[in-house]
Amino acid sequence: MSVVSGVVTAVAISFVIGYLAWMIVANLPRRGHGTTFGEADHQGVVLYWRPGCRFCMRLRFRLRFTPLEYREINIWRDPEAAAFVRSVADGNETVPTVTVAGAAMVNPSVQQLIGAVRASAPQLPPRAKDAEDPS
């Protein structure tokens, strides 16, 4: 029994460490993507999020693997952004909230977001690829 108990404990500890690492990485702001409500290009894509929100972490993580150019705003650091989110989410600070060319979507999936960009803002350029290695 002690071997099984030791294995279960090791698995549980590994899970907790992995989950905490994922929470930390997923909540880090992306370099060059953070902005404020006043600075954001509201004709493009703007993602409103807050730390600790698992739905925000999931959307932000999945968007990293798309060519979509967007800006992120932490509503806990920008009162004007928080007020905007409340205005489009029935008075709640429901995040992630995303605007595509000014049209708001509350808690969209990546597929819904990409579909909205194709329908409402096909002129948006994809994110530029890193130019470190041209080959």
Side-chain angles (χ1 to χ4, degrees), residues 52-63:
C53 170
R54 65 183 177 146
F55 302 107
C56 297
M57 286 186 276
R58 182 173 42 189
L59 182 61
R60 292 172 73 213
F61 181 76
R62 290 180 178 168
L63 282 175

Side-chain angles (χ1 to χ4, degrees), residues 22-97:
W22 177 72
M23 293 251 331
I24 291 168
V25 170
N27 274 307
L28 292 174
R30 294 186 58 197
R31 183 179 53 186
H33 282 264
T35 189
T36 63
F37 186 80
E39 297 170 344
D41 175 14
H42 297 286
Q43 295 307 310
V45 178
V46 181
L47 168 66
Y48 299 89
W49 70 285
R50 67 172 171 77
C53 170
R54 65 183 177 146
F55 302 107
C56 297
M57 286 186 276
R58 182 173 42 189
L59 182 61
R60 292 172 73 213
F61 181 76
R62 290 180 178 168
L63 282 175
R64 291 178 187 191
F65 299 102
T66 68
L68 187 62
E69 178 71 37
Y70 61 96
R71 295 288 176 218
E72 296 179 343
I73 301 176
N74 179 345
I75 66 167
W76 283 359
R77 291 191 176 189
D78 190 334
E80 192 176 0
F84 171 76
V85 169
R86 286 191 302 272
S87 76
V88 298
D90 298 324
N92 300 310
E93 289 186 356
T94 306
V95 287
T97 295

Side-chain angles (χ1 to χ4, degrees), residues 123-134:
Q123 76 282 4
L124 293 177
R127 180 172 57 223
K129 297 196 189 250
D130 293 335
E132 294 175 5
D133 185 10

